Amino acid sequence: MRIILSESTQEAVTIVATMVTDRISSHPNSVIGLATGKTMEPVYAEWARLAQIQNLKSEKCFFFMLDEYMGLPKGHPASFRTYIEKRVLNPLNLHVDQFSFPPVFADSIHEAASHYELSLKEAGGIDLQLLGIGGNGHIGFNEPGSLKNSRTRLVELTPETRKANESDFPNGDMPMRALSMGIETILQGKHLVMLATGKSKADAIKYLMNHHDDPTCPATFLKSHPNFTLVLDPDAASKINLKI
Ligand code: GLP
């Protein structure tokens, strides 16, 4: 695991956004895995800003989403698809055919999840996977208790995660379930980049630093990956013993 301690949240955000633009610039056919959440919002804004300055062409890239809520109608403001359309697809002038979204509307979710895995494989796998972390150590929607060999599947959201995201659902219509890439799916990415910012992530980061392959904190599974980069702002790093 490579750890980057930044001096500010903005620096951490810029580091991650630059990893994306550098990757696309050097490998225009890249396959990028996209995470959602508040942590990633400024990353996508910075990516769009850098892409415009650099006149970066992204029309040969392909994007896979990590996860999606089950049961939300198309176009729901809190769906991850809406999030990505607003922050990545539209600002970067990309085409919807460049994206693969978790098949939450399929009749047979199990079959569709296997198909999602297959399309990932056919695309050559993910070159760069962006990840956030839940306050309980979840990645994607792989909640505590998820197994290292898990694949894309239906998951139940924990009360903790539902609480953390409830402000996105002012009407109280937050789903109980989601479709998420599994831990093994994520581990097959070639370069995994996790960004954690803010004090609310400090405990999860401390736990991550001190444990390995611990299902109670799914992020610990990432430490066995040969190319895992953890980017922290000062608040997220405030409970670990590392100096900048
Ligand atoms: C969300 C997403 C994750 C995200 C995490 C942290 O619910 N499923 O992909 O990394 O929880 O979210 P945030 O960045 O809003 O704290």
Side-chain angles (χ1 to χ4, degrees):
M1 171 169 64
R2 175 177 168 231
I3 303 171
I4 300 177
L5 296 178
S6 60
E7 288 179 11
S8 66
T9 307
Q10 183 53 47
E11 187 188 52
V13 162
T14 304
I15 288 167
V16 175
T18 305
M19 284 181 187
V20 177
T21 53
D22 282 355
R23 171 74 208 183
I24 296 174
S25 169
S26 60
H27 300 80
N29 296 307
S30 290
V31 179
I32 315 268
L34 300 174
T36 52
K38 296 187 180 49
T39 311
M40 287 297 155
E41 290 178 9
V43 172
Y44 296 140
E46 180 64 5
W47 170 5
R49 193 185 73 82
L50 292 173
Q52 193 175 21
I53 294 172
Q54 298 168 10
N55 195 22
L56 186 66
K57 302 283 177 233
S58 307
E59 71 271 2
K60 289 186 182 154
C61 291
F62 199 83
F63 303 93
F64 280 90
M65 293 284 305
L66 253 184
D67 50 9
E68 179 60 282
Y69 289 111
M70 289 298 298
L72 294 181
K74 282 188 178 137
H76 189 286
S79 83
F80 291 163
R81 179 171 178 144
T82 302
Y83 173 112
I84 286 298
E85 286 172 351
K86 186 171 158 191
R87 296 183 171 83
V88 179
L89 195 154
N90 294 333
L92 289 162
N93 293 315
L94 301 174
H95 195 274
V96 70
D97 292 349
Q98 291 175 258
F99 289 78
S100 206
F101 297 98
V104 288
F105 297 108
D107 292 333
S108 163
I109 292 293
H110 186 68
E111 258 175 50
S114 305
H115 189 262
Y116 195 63
E117 293 271 345
L118 190 64
S119 45
L120 250 169
K121 202 170 162 194
E122 285 171 357
I126 289 179
D127 296 304
L128 177 63
Q129 175 67 58
L130 298 178
L131 293 161
I133 182 169
N136 63 359
H138 76 234
I139 47 172
F141 268 137
N142 292 282
E143 297 280 31
S146 297
L147 299 177
K148 192 172 187 177
N149 64 358
S150 54
R151 313 289 316 199
T152 302
R153 69 205 186 290
L154 268 182
V155 292
E156 298 285 329
L157 302 178
T158 60
E160 236 175 323
T161 296
R162 298 188 77 246
K163 178 125 197 73
N165 292 353
E166 71 184 355
S167 63
D168 295 333
F169 297 89
N171 300 331
D173 55 348
M174 182 167 179
M176 306 291 286
R177 299 189 303 168
L179 189 60
S180 179
M181 280 188 198
I183 306 281
E184 194 170 69
T185 321
I186 294 169
L187 285 172
Q188 284 177 340
K190 290 161 201 145
H191 184 192
L192 311 181
V193 177
M194 174 181 279
L195 173 64
T197 58
K199 279 214 178 336
S200 65
K201 302 298 167 68
D203 284 325
I205 294 301
K206 182 179 177 192
Y207 198 91
L208 169 63
M209 296 303 294
N210 294 321
H211 298 80
H212 287 266
D213 279 2
D214 179 345
T216 67
C217 176
T220 59
F221 290 124
L222 304 180
K223 291 169 78 177
S224 59
H225 191 281
N227 197 5
F228 169 43
T229 305
L230 176 62
V231 182
L232 303 173
D233 80 346
D235 280 343
S238 59
K239 295 191 177 173
I240 60 174
N241 291 323
L242 284 172
K243 295 268 170 283
I244 293 177

